[in-house]
Structures are given as C-alpha cells and as structure tokens.
Amino acid sequence: MILKTYRWSFVVTAVGLVLAALYGLSAHLGVFQAIALVLILSVLEISLSFDNAVVNATILERMSDFWRKIFLSVGIIIAVFGMRLVFPIVLVSVTAGLGPIEVVQLALRGGNPDDPGTYGYELNQAHPTIASFGGMFLLMLFLNFIFGEKEHHWLGPVERVLEKVGKLEYVQVIVAGAVLLVVAETFATDHGRTVLASGLAGVVTYLLVNGLGELFNVEEHLDHGEHPDGADAGSEPAEGRRGPSGAAKATGKAAFFLFLYLEVLDASFSFDGVIGAFAITSDPVIIAIGLGVGAMYIRSMTVHLVEEGTLAQYPYLENGALWAIGALATILLLSIEIHIPEVVTGLIGLAFIVASLISSIRYNRAHPEAAHVETEATAQAG
C-alpha cells in the first residue's frame, strides 16, 4: 500500500535530487549543499502543509478515480511549476513593475530578502498581497467549517455555539469582511489599500469556486434524477456537508470545480512556504525543487488518507485540520506586519493535528461500536 501510494513521490524525490546535484555543479553551489537544501525545503513544505493534506482528503474522497489521478498528475505540475516557480515570478513582475525576462534574470541571481533590488527582496515586498489573499481564502474555509453543521464536535461547547451562530445567513462573509477591515485599517496601516484589495480578492475567489462547485454538483444530480445532496429522491438531505460540493464520486463539471478548489487551496498553503524558503536559501531553482518534492508527498498523503479511510477511523482529525487552517489564516494576516518564524507556524498546525488525533483515539476506545460502523461504511463506499 505504501509503495503503491507513494511510488510517484519516491520517483519525484529521486529526480529532484538528481536535478539538484546537476544544478549544484553548474551553479557552483556544490552537489552536497544543493541536495541538503532540497531535503530541508521538502521537510519544511511537509511540516507546513500536513493539515492541507487532511483537508484535501475530505474533498478528494468525493471525486472519482479519474479526477484523483488528475490531482496527482496535472495537479502536481501546477503545484511545482505553477505555484512554486512561475507564480512568484509573475507576482514580482506585477508588484515591482518589471518584465518577466528581467524578473527571471533577477531570480537566477538570487539575493537576500533584506537586500534591496534582489529577487528575494522584491518577493518579500509582495508579502502583504500574498498574505492577505491567502489568509482571507483560508479564513473563509475555516469560517465555513466552524459555522456549518458537523457530524462530530471536537471542541464541544465552542463548536456547538458557533454552529448555532452559523444559522445567521451570510455570517461567514460578515465575519470575514469585519476581520479584513480591522486588519487593513488598524493593523496593516502601511499596506492598507493593498491588503484590502487582495483580501477581498481572496474572499471573492473562495465564494466563486465554492459556488460554482455547488451549482454544477446540483445540476449533475438533477440530470440523473437524484437528490442534490447525494441521496435518493424523497429521502432526507445529508447533513454535515461542507466544502464546494457535497457529492460523492463527483464527475464532470462538479469534479472540475472541486479540482480547481483544491488547486486554489494548495496555492494558499504554498504562499508561506515560498516566502519562508528564502530564510533557508535565496536560490529560486533549489526552492522550486525542494518545495515541489514536499508538495508531491502532501498529495500522496492526501490519497493515502482517502484510500485508508483515515478520516472515518479518526473522527476528530478533520476538525483538528480545520482549526489548524484557522490558525494559519490568522498567522498569515499577522505576518503582514509581524515576522513569525515558519517553525512556529508548522508547530501550531502539528499541535492541532496531534491533539485531534489523540482525541479521536480516546473516542474510539470509548465508543468501539461507533468506530467499527464508520470504518465499515467507509470500506463499502470505497
């Protein structure tokens, strides 16, 4: 099972290390130093994005096998070359007013984020735009969770109260708008307009992808004479559905927008990794290889969680991952003005995951019958 699920991650790791070694020779960086940097960056990406794998799994389990393969093939190309290599270059080009070729030349020269005129410095200058967009997108995902109906309540009293508040229409947008306004006007005063515009873009992107996913999911079920919540006509609607689509084994347009949602989610998670990587090295090629290898493992972990039915086996794991995303969204917004070490971000996310995992194990011991039923249901669904 491990070899089947992670074989492409192992292949990408081998290719990445070979490319790092060749690049280390050509760039006079040194073979062993280049390989070591790639390994360190891979670990950084995995530690920062493990909660991303859990959330991805809740969405990927609703998609057909075909779209799972697309997620692992086309998706990884977008993740590695798009988000870890091309996107930073495009972002610097737009924010610094430089041509793409000039930015590529600047990137190949590297440079410390503290040195004006370097690629690292220009990318760091774009951080308020990145943090605001990514922070608000992740915040919307978190708010959609805490205000929505849940099958399991990990932080019982808190989650139940917030679930009741969620009955207020548009409460997620209201809270997100209030947070963005406070951040832009009182906290990120030096970048107020930029933060406001990019944060609003993050909210709109979430609502657009989420809405389109739900729209096409409903249309496809109606075309097949099924209930829009995935149940047979005349049955009660399923509860506890969250995310852009509640469909199981979605195909067609619904699956496409689920895939698009996953890619935007991955982008939001990748921002802090790309910025944080410059604390380790200023070489954009090494950063792209290292973060790309880590991104492949996150995708393999996502598939592993789905195929093993881990989310059903550990009922609070999804809750812990979403609370970790809430923490990451907060950290991204705070990082507009305050430098927060990447190790802190990674440890906070890991703490939520481990705590929810421990709670799940205790729950399973106290309710062995419920755990058995959920595992059987997952096995039958797969």
Side-chain angles (χ1 to χ4, degrees):
M1 178 65 188
I2 295 294
L3 183 60
K4 176 184 176 183
T5 305
Y6 290 89
R7 66 179 182 275
W8 284 112
S9 294
F10 298 149
V11 170
V12 170
T13 301
V15 172
L17 293 178
V18 170
L19 290 176
L22 294 175
Y23 179 77
L25 283 174
S26 63
H28 305 292
L29 184 64
V31 173
F32 294 108
Q33 184 178 354
I35 290 175
L37 288 172
V38 165
L39 293 174
I40 291 171
L41 289 169
S42 300
V43 173
L44 171 68
E45 177 71 8
I46 293 170
S47 64
L48 288 175
S49 301
F50 182 78
D51 46 354
N52 187 16
V54 177
V55 176
N56 283 353
T58 66
I59 302 168
L60 197 65
E61 65 183 1
R62 306 169 193 165
M63 300 169 70
S64 66
D65 291 337
F66 171 79
W67 281 98
R68 292 180 187 180
K69 291 177 182 177
I70 293 294
F71 174 72
L72 277 175
S73 55
V74 177
I76 194 62
I77 294 174
I78 295 174
V80 176
F81 296 100
M83 296 313 305
R84 272 76 178 181
L85 187 61
V86 177
F87 178 76
I89 291 174
V90 172
L91 188 66
V92 169
S93 177
V94 172
T95 57
L98 302 173
I101 296 178
E102 188 177 357
V103 174
V104 171
Q105 293 173 342
L106 195 65
L108 292 175
R109 291 198 295 269
N112 192 289
D114 296 325
D115 296 335
T118 63
Y119 177 75
Y121 178 84
E122 296 297 343
L123 186 59
N124 194 55
Q125 290 296 104
H127 179 68
T129 301
I130 296 172
S132 182
F133 179 92
M136 292 308 300
F137 183 90
L138 293 177
L139 181 63
M140 284 296 297
L141 176 62
F142 172 65
L143 293 176
N144 193 44
F145 165 75
I146 63 171
F147 290 130
E149 294 183 356
K150 288 168 283 294
E151 184 178 357
H152 299 283
H153 296 88
W154 177 40
L155 306 179
V158 175
E159 291 184 351
R160 288 189 181 91
V161 169
L162 291 173
E163 195 172 288
K164 291 180 180 179
V165 176
K167 296 184 184 299
L168 174 65
E169 195 169 11
Y170 306 123
V171 64
Q172 297 94 330
V173 179
I174 294 171
V175 173
V179 170
L180 179 60
L181 195 59
V182 169
V183 170
E185 295 297 326
T186 65
F187 181 70
T189 52
D190 294 338
H191 312 280
R193 292 185 61 184
T194 299
V195 168
L196 196 60
S198 56
L200 182 60
V203 173
V204 170
T205 301
Y206 177 87
L207 292 174
L208 179 62
V209 178
N210 185 50
L212 288 173
E214 291 180 346
L215 171 65
F216 286 113
N217 171 59
V218 170
E219 285 184 353
E220 289 193 1
H221 279 288
L222 290 178
D223 288 341
H224 289 84
E226 299 174 358
H227 192 281
D229 286 312
D232 293 334
S235 64
E236 292 297 322
E239 295 183 359
R241 303 286 191 181
R242 292 180 299 280
S245 170
K249 307 297 183 184
T251 58
K253 296 175 184 176
F256 170 75
F257 281 104
L258 281 174
F259 172 75
L260 185 61
Y261 180 85
L262 282 171
E263 292 308 311
V264 178
L265 181 62
D266 176 77
S268 299
F269 271 94
S270 70
F271 292 152
D272 58 331
V274 172
I275 296 295
F278 275 87
I280 298 172
T281 177
S282 60
D283 193 304
V285 175
I286 293 296
I287 289 175
I289 295 173
L291 296 185
V293 170
M296 188 65 204
Y297 278 96
I298 293 299
R299 273 165 164 67
S300 295
M301 287 179 190
T302 299
V303 173
H304 184 81
L305 291 172
V306 172
E307 294 184 349
E308 288 291 300
T310 305
L311 297 178
Q313 295 174 26
Y314 301 99
Y316 298 131
L317 192 58
E318 182 184 359
N319 300 58
L322 267 300
W323 279 100
I325 285 178
L328 176 59
T330 303
I331 289 171
L332 277 172
L333 294 174
L334 290 175
S335 70
I336 295 171
E337 292 291 335
I338 302 173
H339 174 67
I340 301 175
E342 286 67 32
V343 65
V344 174
T345 305
L347 287 176
I348 290 176
L350 183 62
F352 275 108
I353 295 293
V354 171
S356 63
L357 185 62
I358 293 173
S359 297
S360 297
I361 294 172
R362 289 177 177 174
Y363 175 86
N364 289 340
R365 288 176 179 174
H367 306 84
E369 298 83 4
H372 177 72
V373 169
E374 289 184 353
T375 303
E376 288 293 324
T378 303
Q380 292 176 6

